[in-house]
Amino acid sequence: MLDRITERLYERLGSRYWLVLAVGQAAVSILVALVTVVILASYYDASTHQVARLATFGSILTAIAIFVASLRTRSAFCAVRAWHDTPAPTATETVSAWETATTLTYRQFRRNSWWINPFVVLPTSAFGVVLFDLEWTDFFVLVLACVVPAVYATVLSYSAGEMLSRPMVSDIAKVLPDDFPFTRLGLPVRKRILLGPSTYTVATALLVASLLGDRSGSDDLVLAVVASVCVGLALSHELSVLLAEAITRPIERVRVAMARVADGDLAARVPVTTSDELGELAHDFNLMARGLEEREQMRAAFGTYVDKEVAALILSGQFPEEGVEVEVSIMFCDVIGFTSYAESAPATAVVATLNRLFSVMVPIVDKHGGHVDKFIGDGLLAVFGAPELFPDHADRAVAAAREIVAAAAALDTGLSVAAGVNTGRVVAGSIGGAGRLNFSVIGDAVNVAARVEAATRQTGDDVLITAATAAMLTTDVPLVSRGSVPLKGKAEPLEVLAPLGPVTAPTA
């Protein structure tokens, strides 16, 4: 309910919302000041008129001090509002505004607390001495008695300031970049836990001592303050330390584990040592880390069965579902005499030999910027120019074909490889249905590449390319025409050319 009210005030008041911050903090502090005056007056049998005058005096000083402190940090608030009024703030401006908004109260209190409390406590104590007709030594008693409420008011006012600043922070957090550089600038949680219970316990002890103990002058007041401070700190210190350890240590474990995950260690886990909200946080973190680990394993397996570039493109979700029409170079490789070899060799040896050949061929395709579209028995279809658009895709395809032939010949498998390359326009996209898709290329250029590879049996060459591929070459590759050969499924014969010159085969 309170958050909704502050959000509406923030939207309606705009740059004047800093007044809400000032009034909210002042109201909390004035309330504590009024209770403090009543407690002090009870020790000196003050009249209602005297109490009212001292309360008014202390409240005015408190309001002035907080208003001045708010004015000193108004420029920071205006910087946040300037971000809000900017039509399209940059990521850097957003991060800067967020840091300002989240540390606005903290910086205000660090900058002003050292003078606010003396500004209020010292004059109020002096006025109380005069008003109650006390000895000058009683001034120090009143100052001592005001210290505990002043610290308590500071803690409450700080909490009120942070609560009233939430609309600003929430407004910026909606568009804050996920990967912004985070730096700890606010009040640490450990200090909040140590200060909060201790201050509250001491203030409560002082109030109880004042209500139940004797109230007959400065001696009783000093005794009440000293007793409440000693008892309050003794009771709250261990509690604060235990709470700090119980809360901050599990949070720190989660933070360290998150840093490990950010560095790539997806096996990081947090021990679930409690059955409360912090234990639930650790449990949820472990589930998240396990999910990320399984996703990474799936991605790795996906990359094993699908070309790495294609896997990255599909996972990014940036490729159009309807596909795109592009000009590419298609390379089709086939193992010569593999059918007869498979008939005479054991099945395990056939698979092992084929995998050996592919283990040499696939890295060569990757090296030249292509991707393996599919394996067709003992054949391999590779595409150059999609999904990554290379203007020299023809050169890459021809170089890869020649290198694959040379690399396969260097293996002691007793088998050789032939390759055909063709260039043309195809449709590249995800092909399939019913939840099963495969990134592939469709078009007549693909069929021609397979037919050109088959033509190597007629010409006796290891590599043949079409005239369309030769026209796209940007490097000087010696070519010799093998004339026009009839291709299955083509009405007219097609000219094919064989690259010449030595090819350095990689070490097998």
Side-chain angles (χ1 to χ4, degrees):
M1 180 67 180
L2 185 59
D3 286 340
R4 275 184 279 179
I5 293 175
T6 54
E7 287 176 2
R8 290 177 182 175
L9 289 175
Y10 179 69
E11 290 297 329
R12 291 184 179 182
L13 297 178
S15 59
R16 293 173 295 172
Y17 185 75
W18 73 275
L19 291 172
V20 175
L21 294 174
V23 171
Q25 295 177 66
V28 172
S29 299
I30 289 174
L31 179 61
V32 175
L34 293 177
V35 175
T36 303
V37 168
V38 173
I39 292 175
L40 294 179
S42 66
Y43 281 87
Y44 300 104
D45 296 327
S47 65
T48 304
H49 179 68
Q50 290 174 322
V51 173
R53 291 180 62 187
L54 186 61
T56 303
F57 184 80
S59 300
I60 292 175
L61 288 180
T62 302
I64 292 174
I66 293 181
F67 183 76
V68 172
S70 300
L71 278 177
R72 297 184 70 189
T73 56
R74 184 171 177 269
S75 59
F77 176 82
C78 291
V80 176
R81 286 301 306 183
W83 171 89
H84 181 274
D85 298 334
T86 302
T90 63
T92 302
E93 292 172 341
T94 300
V95 172
S96 178
W98 179 84
E99 291 178 347
T100 301
T102 53
T103 60
L104 182 65
T105 304
Y106 184 55
R107 286 189 293 178
Q108 175 183 347
F109 276 75
R110 286 190 62 183
R111 186 178 181 184
N112 299 297
S113 293
W114 65 272
W115 68 265
I116 287 181
N117 288 330
F119 178 82
V120 176
V121 169
L122 296 180
T124 303
S125 299
F127 187 63
V129 170
V130 175
L131 192 63
F132 299 154
D133 193 21
L134 304 176
E135 300 291 335
W136 68 269
T137 53
D138 292 327
F139 169 78
F140 300 101
V141 176
L142 295 181
V143 170
L144 177 64
C146 290
V147 168
V148 173
V151 175
Y152 183 63
T154 301
V155 174
L156 285 184
S157 181
Y158 180 88
S159 300
E162 283 201 331
M163 182 186 64
L164 294 173
S165 298
R166 286 176 191 166
M168 294 188 301
V169 179
S170 300
D171 188 30
I172 304 171
K174 296 175 183 177
V175 294
L176 192 67
D178 294 332
D179 57 346
F180 78 100
F182 181 86
T183 305
R184 294 186 187 182
L185 299 174
L187 184 65
V189 175
R190 187 181 185 86
K191 289 186 178 180
R192 294 171 187 260
I193 297 174
L194 292 175
L195 288 173
S198 300
T199 306
Y200 176 80
T201 305
V202 173
T204 303
L206 177 60
L207 181 61
V208 172
S210 300
L211 292 176
L212 302 180
D214 293 332
R215 298 189 297 275
S216 300
S218 298
D219 292 340
D220 289 339
L221 180 57
V222 171
L223 181 61
V225 172
V226 173
S228 62
V229 171
C230 293
V231 173
L233 290 179
L235 293 177
S236 65
H237 178 70
E238 293 299 328
L239 176 62
S240 299
V241 172
L242 290 176
L243 282 175
E245 289 294 321
I247 295 176
T248 59
R249 187 181 293 271
I251 294 176
E252 185 65 18
R253 287 176 185 157
V254 174
R255 191 194 66 80
V256 171
M258 290 179 66
R260 289 175 57 189
V261 170
D263 291 336
D265 182 10
L266 299 181
R269 296 292 186 272
V270 178
V272 183
T273 57
T274 61
S275 60
D276 53 13
E277 293 86 350
L278 294 173
E280 185 179 14
L281 174 64
H283 175 67
D284 291 344
F285 172 84
N286 292 339
L287 292 179
M288 181 199 70
R290 189 179 71 177
L292 291 175
E293 189 175 21
E294 292 175 352
R295 181 180 179 183
E296 189 62 27
Q297 291 172 353
M298 186 180 300
R299 183 190 294 267
F302 188 37
T304 301
Y305 289 92
V306 181
D307 189 83
K308 294 189 297 294
E309 286 76 14
V310 175
L313 183 66
I314 294 174
L315 291 173
S316 69
Q318 297 177 355
F319 200 85
E321 294 183 1
E322 65 276 12
V324 293
E325 185 177 357
V326 290
E327 186 173 57
V328 297
S329 291
I330 309 294
M331 180 191 71
F332 188 83
C333 297
D334 192 37
V335 180
I336 301 174
F338 184 79
T339 302
S340 58
Y341 167 76
E343 291 175 352
S344 59
T348 55
V350 171
V351 174
T353 301
L354 195 57
N355 285 339
R356 247 185 106 190
L357 288 167
F358 285 150
S359 68
V360 172
M361 298 160 64
V362 172
I364 294 175
V365 174
D366 290 340
K367 184 179 76 172
H368 289 279
H371 84 85
V372 177
D373 184 283
K374 61 176 66 71
F375 297 98
I376 308 173
D378 60 313
L380 178 151
L381 178 64
V383 181
F384 297 80
E388 294 188 4
L389 304 177
F390 294 113
D392 58 342
H393 52 79
D395 301 85
R396 293 171 180 268
V398 173
R402 300 184 71 192
E403 190 172 332
I404 284 174
V405 169
L411 294 176
D412 56 351
T413 59
L415 300 172
S416 58
V417 173
V421 181
N422 180 45
T423 300
R425 298 195 71 80
V426 297
V427 176
S430 298
I431 310 299
R436 297 293 299 273
L437 299 175
N438 177 45
F439 185 88
S440 186
V441 289
I442 304 296
D444 184 60
V446 180
N447 300 325
V448 171
R451 304 292 184 262
V452 170
E453 185 279 326
T456 58
R457 313 298 191 275
Q458 305 175 32
T459 64
D461 296 294
D462 294 325
V463 178
L464 286 177
I465 68 174
T466 62
T469 301
M472 291 293 295
L473 293 175
T474 61
T475 56
D476 187 13
V477 179
L479 299 172
V480 59
S481 176
R482 299 305 187 192
S484 297
V485 296
L487 301 181
K488 183 179 179 180
K490 303 295 291 183
E492 298 293 334
L494 193 67
E495 182 184 11
V496 293
L497 304 95
L500 300 180
V503 178
T504 302
T507 304

